[in-house]
Amino acid sequence: PHFDLRKKGGHILVGNQACMWATGGTLYCAGEAGARLGVRNSGAVIVAEGASDYPFEYMTEGEAWMLGDFVGKFGSRMTGGIGIIYDPSGLRRGRIDEDYLAVAVMDDGDLLEKKSRLEDYFKKTDSELAGRILENWEQEKFNLVKVVPKDAVKLAQVVQMPVASSA
């Protein structure tokens, strides 16, 4: 059955397939999006506080943030870019497309960059959710889950492998 975000009392601000085929730019949505937000995104930064079916499907590049709930798999068949999922319950990370995506560890540089993005989002949207996360950053930063395509992880491992000498 189709999931209707309006039944949760959310504010749907952008419709189905918003940012489809986006190649750049930024969308800050301090509310929820319809189905297939950012499908085939190839360079945009997209931040939303919820979405219906399959956000960021077939994404090839860009930055995809999901601060609220979503339906279906996050990043289904995603082959590039990064995703950030706010997951205070620990349940959302189980709804990524595990055939294509892996959870990546965020170092201090990553966290600083993510905090900066969230501060910009808050400044431009006055989002209550972003404000709460920033207000309690030292605890909330552990609820941000970074996901990357498995192929990118494999490539990074290959690049870091020592090259055998021919001597």
mmCIF file of all heavy atoms in Angstrom, residues 22-54:
data_model
loop_
_atom_site.group_PDB
_atom_site.id
_atom_site.type_symbol
_atom_site.label_atom_id
_atom_site.label_comp_id
_atom_site.label_asym_id
_atom_site.label_seq_id
_atom_site.Cartn_x
_atom_site.Cartn_y
_atom_site.Cartn_z
ATOM 1 N N ALA A 22 18.800 16.272 -10.903
ATOM 2 C CA ALA A 22 19.528 17.489 -10.508
ATOM 3 C C ALA A 22 21.024 17.303 -10.732
ATOM 4 O O ALA A 22 21.584 16.251 -10.431
ATOM 5 C CB ALA A 22 19.252 17.805 -9.049
ATOM 6 N N THR A 23 21.655 18.326 -11.269
ATOM 7 C CA THR A 23 23.095 18.266 -11.538
ATOM 8 C C THR A 23 23.890 19.215 -10.652
ATOM 9 O O THR A 23 25.116 19.227 -10.706
ATOM 10 C CB THR A 23 23.392 18.597 -13.014
ATOM 11 O OG1 THR A 23 22.886 19.908 -13.295
ATOM 12 C CG2 THR A 23 22.745 17.584 -13.940
ATOM 13 N N GLY A 24 23.227 20.022 -9.859
ATOM 14 C CA GLY A 24 23.898 20.951 -8.976
ATOM 15 C C GLY A 24 22.880 21.739 -8.185
ATOM 16 O O GLY A 24 21.681 21.517 -8.297
ATOM 17 N N GLY A 25 23.362 22.644 -7.366
ATOM 18 C CA GLY A 25 22.469 23.474 -6.568
ATOM 19 C C GLY A 25 22.168 22.845 -5.226
ATOM 20 O O GLY A 25 22.694 21.790 -4.876
ATOM 21 N N THR A 26 21.295 23.516 -4.482
ATOM 22 C CA THR A 26 20.945 23.088 -3.130
ATOM 23 C C THR A 26 19.447 23.215 -2.925
ATOM 24 O O THR A 26 18.855 24.226 -3.289
ATOM 25 C CB THR A 26 21.670 23.971 -2.084
ATOM 26 O OG1 THR A 26 23.077 23.900 -2.320
ATOM 27 C CG2 THR A 26 21.369 23.520 -0.671
ATOM 28 N N LEU A 27 18.842 22.192 -2.328
ATOM 29 C CA LEU A 27 17.448 22.245 -1.904
ATOM 30 C C LEU A 27 17.420 21.991 -0.408
ATOM 31 O O LEU A 27 17.873 20.947 0.058
ATOM 32 C CB LEU A 27 16.593 21.179 -2.596
ATOM 33 C CG LEU A 27 15.167 21.049 -2.014
ATOM 34 C CD1 LEU A 27 14.319 22.263 -2.370
ATOM 35 C CD2 LEU A 27 14.511 19.767 -2.453
ATOM 36 N N TYR A 28 16.920 22.963 0.346
ATOM 37 C CA TYR A 28 16.689 22.806 1.775
ATOM 38 C C TYR A 28 15.186 22.761 1.979
ATOM 39 O O TYR A 28 14.496 23.750 1.741
ATOM 40 C CB TYR A 28 17.280 23.978 2.560
ATOM 41 C CG TYR A 28 18.783 23.991 2.684
ATOM 42 C CD1 TYR A 28 19.431 25.155 3.063
ATOM 43 C CD2 TYR A 28 19.563 22.860 2.473
ATOM 44 C CE1 TYR A 28 20.809 25.191 3.220
ATOM 45 C CE2 TYR A 28 20.941 22.885 2.613
ATOM 46 C CZ TYR A 28 21.562 24.054 2.992
ATOM 47 O OH TYR A 28 22.929 24.092 3.153
ATOM 48 N N CYS A 29 14.682 21.638 2.431
ATOM 49 C CA CYS A 29 13.245 21.439 2.610
ATOM 50 C C CYS A 29 12.957 21.171 4.086
ATOM 51 O O CYS A 29 13.111 20.037 4.552
ATOM 52 C CB CYS A 29 12.779 20.274 1.746
ATOM 53 S SG CYS A 29 11.031 19.905 1.913
ATOM 54 N N ALA A 30 12.522 22.200 4.808
ATOM 55 C CA ALA A 30 12.211 22.060 6.229
ATOM 56 C C ALA A 30 10.810 21.488 6.379
ATOM 57 O O ALA A 30 9.922 22.069 6.994
ATOM 58 C CB ALA A 30 12.344 23.396 6.937
ATOM 59 N N GLY A 31 10.627 20.341 5.787
ATOM 60 C CA GLY A 31 9.365 19.619 5.776
ATOM 61 C C GLY A 31 9.590 18.334 5.013
ATOM 62 O O GLY A 31 10.729 17.911 4.804
ATOM 63 N N GLU A 32 8.503 17.736 4.573
ATOM 64 C CA GLU A 32 8.595 16.437 3.922
ATOM 65 C C GLU A 32 8.424 16.554 2.414
ATOM 66 O O GLU A 32 7.844 17.507 1.905
ATOM 67 C CB GLU A 32 7.552 15.509 4.529
ATOM 68 C CG GLU A 32 7.843 15.261 6.001
ATOM 69 C CD GLU A 32 6.717 14.581 6.751
ATOM 70 O OE1 GLU A 32 5.576 14.556 6.256
ATOM 71 O OE2 GLU A 32 6.982 14.097 7.850
ATOM 72 N N ALA A 33 8.954 15.575 1.725
ATOM 73 C CA ALA A 33 8.882 15.515 0.267
ATOM 74 C C ALA A 33 8.041 14.319 -0.150
ATOM 75 O O ALA A 33 7.870 13.365 0.609
ATOM 76 C CB ALA A 33 10.286 15.382 -0.313
ATOM 77 N N GLY A 34 7.573 14.372 -1.371
ATOM 78 C CA GLY A 34 6.822 13.249 -1.920
ATOM 79 C C GLY A 34 7.754 12.101 -2.288
ATOM 80 O O GLY A 34 8.900 12.030 -1.866
ATOM 81 N N ALA A 35 7.244 11.226 -3.137
ATOM 82 C CA ALA A 35 7.982 10.029 -3.536
ATOM 83 C C ALA A 35 9.179 10.367 -4.409
ATOM 84 O O ALA A 35 9.176 11.320 -5.159
ATOM 85 C CB ALA A 35 7.049 9.076 -4.285
ATOM 86 N N ARG A 36 10.198 9.563 -4.264
ATOM 87 C CA ARG A 36 11.400 9.587 -5.099
ATOM 88 C C ARG A 36 12.123 10.934 -5.118
ATOM 89 O O ARG A 36 12.537 11.424 -6.160
ATOM 90 C CB ARG A 36 11.076 9.076 -6.490
ATOM 91 C CG ARG A 36 10.754 7.589 -6.440
ATOM 92 C CD ARG A 36 10.546 6.962 -7.785
ATOM 93 N NE ARG A 36 10.643 5.518 -7.695
ATOM 94 C CZ ARG A 36 9.702 4.703 -7.230
ATOM 95 N NH1 ARG A 36 8.565 5.205 -6.785
ATOM 96 N NH2 ARG A 36 9.879 3.406 -7.199
ATOM 97 N N LEU A 37 12.271 11.504 -3.950
ATOM 98 C CA LEU A 37 13.044 12.732 -3.803
ATOM 99 C C LEU A 37 14.463 12.485 -4.298
ATOM 100 O O LEU A 37 15.104 11.514 -3.923
ATOM 101 C CB LEU A 37 13.086 13.149 -2.330
ATOM 102 C CG LEU A 37 14.024 14.297 -1.969
ATOM 103 C CD1 LEU A 37 13.551 15.603 -2.616
ATOM 104 C CD2 LEU A 37 14.117 14.448 -0.463
ATOM 105 N N GLY A 38 14.972 13.360 -5.154
ATOM 106 C CA GLY A 38 16.359 13.293 -5.605
ATOM 107 C C GLY A 38 16.705 12.095 -6.457
ATOM 108 O O GLY A 38 17.877 11.750 -6.572
ATOM 109 N N VAL A 39 15.700 11.480 -7.073
ATOM 110 C CA VAL A 39 15.997 10.326 -7.930
ATOM 111 C C VAL A 39 16.950 10.752 -9.048
ATOM 112 O O VAL A 39 16.803 11.821 -9.627
ATOM 113 C CB VAL A 39 14.706 9.680 -8.488
ATOM 114 C CG1 VAL A 39 13.982 10.595 -9.449
ATOM 115 C CG2 VAL A 39 15.001 8.352 -9.168
ATOM 116 N N ARG A 40 17.987 9.979 -9.241
ATOM 117 C CA ARG A 40 19.039 10.229 -10.242
ATOM 118 C C ARG A 40 19.787 11.546 -10.003
ATOM 119 O O ARG A 40 20.314 12.141 -10.936
ATOM 120 C CB ARG A 40 18.487 10.148 -11.654
ATOM 121 C CG ARG A 40 17.965 8.761 -11.997
ATOM 122 C CD ARG A 40 17.768 8.565 -13.478
ATOM 123 N NE ARG A 40 17.149 7.300 -13.793
ATOM 124 C CZ ARG A 40 17.788 6.137 -13.921
ATOM 125 N NH1 ARG A 40 19.080 6.074 -13.731
ATOM 126 N NH2 ARG A 40 17.129 5.043 -14.227
ATOM 127 N N ASN A 41 19.828 11.988 -8.755
ATOM 128 C CA ASN A 41 20.619 13.172 -8.402
ATOM 129 C C ASN A 41 22.055 12.933 -8.857
ATOM 130 O O ASN A 41 22.635 11.891 -8.567
ATOM 131 C CB ASN A 41 20.571 13.404 -6.892
ATOM 132 C CG ASN A 41 21.416 14.571 -6.437
ATOM 133 O OD1 ASN A 41 21.747 15.464 -7.204
ATOM 134 N ND2 ASN A 41 21.768 14.560 -5.163
ATOM 135 N N SER A 42 22.616 13.907 -9.528
ATOM 136 C CA SER A 42 23.999 13.753 -9.984
ATOM 137 C C SER A 42 24.850 14.964 -9.626
ATOM 138 O O SER A 42 25.777 15.311 -10.352
ATOM 139 C CB SER A 42 24.041 13.478 -11.488
ATOM 140 O OG SER A 42 23.516 14.567 -12.214
ATOM 141 N N GLY A 43 24.535 15.603 -8.494
ATOM 142 C CA GLY A 43 25.391 16.696 -8.068
ATOM 143 C C GLY A 43 24.803 17.680 -7.088
ATOM 144 O O GLY A 43 25.521 18.514 -6.548
ATOM 145 N N ALA A 44 23.525 17.630 -6.826
ATOM 146 C CA ALA A 44 22.895 18.590 -5.915
ATOM 147 C C ALA A 44 23.068 18.180 -4.461
ATOM 148 O O ALA A 44 23.297 17.015 -4.142
ATOM 149 C CB ALA A 44 21.407 18.707 -6.222
ATOM 150 N N VAL A 45 22.936 19.172 -3.580
ATOM 151 C CA VAL A 45 22.845 18.942 -2.139
ATOM 152 C C VAL A 45 21.365 19.047 -1.794
ATOM 153 O O VAL A 45 20.731 20.065 -2.092
ATOM 154 C CB VAL A 45 23.647 19.988 -1.350
ATOM 155 C CG1 VAL A 45 23.401 19.839 0.149
ATOM 156 C CG2 VAL A 45 25.131 19.884 -1.677
ATOM 157 N N ILE A 46 20.817 18.008 -1.195
ATOM 158 C CA ILE A 46 19.393 17.969 -0.870
ATOM 159 C C ILE A 46 19.245 17.595 0.598
ATOM 160 O O ILE A 46 19.771 16.571 1.036
ATOM 161 C CB ILE A 46 18.645 16.943 -1.752
ATOM 162 C CG1 ILE A 46 18.840 17.268 -3.244
ATOM 163 C CG2 ILE A 46 17.167 16.896 -1.375
ATOM 164 C CD1 ILE A 46 18.389 16.160 -4.175
ATOM 165 N N VAL A 47 18.531 18.434 1.349
ATOM 166 C CA VAL A 47 18.255 18.159 2.757
ATOM 167 C C VAL A 47 16.744 18.222 2.936
ATOM 168 O O VAL A 47 16.118 19.211 2.563
ATOM 169 C CB VAL A 47 18.929 19.191 3.692
ATOM 170 C CG1 VAL A 47 18.654 18.846 5.154
ATOM 171 C CG2 VAL A 47 20.425 19.277 3.432
ATOM 172 N N ALA A 48 16.163 17.168 3.504
ATOM 173 C CA ALA A 48 14.721 17.133 3.755
ATOM 174 C C ALA A 48 14.458 16.495 5.113
ATOM 175 O O ALA A 48 15.288 15.765 5.645
ATOM 176 C CB ALA A 48 13.998 16.367 2.655
ATOM 177 N N GLU A 49 13.272 16.762 5.640
ATOM 178 C CA GLU A 49 12.907 16.252 6.961
ATOM 179 C C GLU A 49 11.920 15.099 6.872
ATOM 180 O O GLU A 49 11.217 14.796 7.821
ATOM 181 C CB GLU A 49 12.383 17.394 7.824
ATOM 182 C CG GLU A 49 13.462 18.422 8.064
ATOM 183 C CD GLU A 49 13.113 19.468 9.092
ATOM 184 O OE1 GLU A 49 12.100 19.325 9.810
ATOM 185 O OE2 GLU A 49 13.879 20.449 9.192
ATOM 186 N N GLY A 50 11.895 14.436 5.740
ATOM 187 C CA GLY A 50 11.046 13.275 5.544
ATOM 188 C C GLY A 50 10.747 13.127 4.069
ATOM 189 O O GLY A 50 10.899 14.073 3.298
ATOM 190 N N ALA A 51 10.381 11.921 3.671
ATOM 191 C CA ALA A 51 10.034 11.673 2.273
ATOM 192 C C ALA A 51 9.185 10.419 2.178
ATOM 193 O O ALA A 51 9.248 9.540 3.035
ATOM 194 C CB ALA A 51 11.285 11.522 1.412
ATOM 195 N N SER A 52 8.438 10.362 1.114
ATOM 196 C CA SER A 52 7.654 9.161 0.835
ATOM 197 C C SER A 52 8.594 8.135 0.198
ATOM 198 O O SER A 52 9.768 8.079 0.526
ATOM 199 C CB SER A 52 6.470 9.530 -0.060
ATOM 200 O OG SER A 52 5.586 8.439 -0.164
ATOM 201 N N ASP A 53 8.111 7.385 -0.739
ATOM 202 C CA ASP A 53 8.818 6.228 -1.288
ATOM 203 C C ASP A 53 10.186 6.533 -1.896
ATOM 204 O O ASP A 53 10.342 7.459 -2.673
ATOM 205 C CB ASP A 53 7.962 5.557 -2.365
ATOM 206 C CG ASP A 53 6.609 5.100 -1.838
ATOM 207 O OD1 ASP A 53 6.584 4.567 -0.727
ATOM 208 O OD2 ASP A 53 5.605 5.300 -2.546
ATOM 209 N N TYR A 54 11.151 5.721 -1.540
ATOM 210 C CA TYR A 54 12.466 5.604 -2.182
ATOM 211 C C TYR A 54 13.220 6.897 -2.442
ATOM 212 O O TYR A 54 13.540 7.236 -3.572
ATOM 213 C CB TYR A 54 12.325 4.805 -3.480
ATOM 214 C CG TYR A 54 11.803 3.424 -3.216
ATOM 215 C CD1 TYR A 54 10.463 3.129 -3.419
ATOM 216 C CD2 TYR A 54 12.638 2.446 -2.717
ATOM 217 C CE1 TYR A 54 9.968 1.860 -3.144
ATOM 218 C CE2 TYR A 54 12.145 1.172 -2.444
ATOM 219 C CZ TYR A 54 10.816 0.888 -2.652
ATOM 220 O OH TYR A 54 10.328 -0.360 -2.371
#
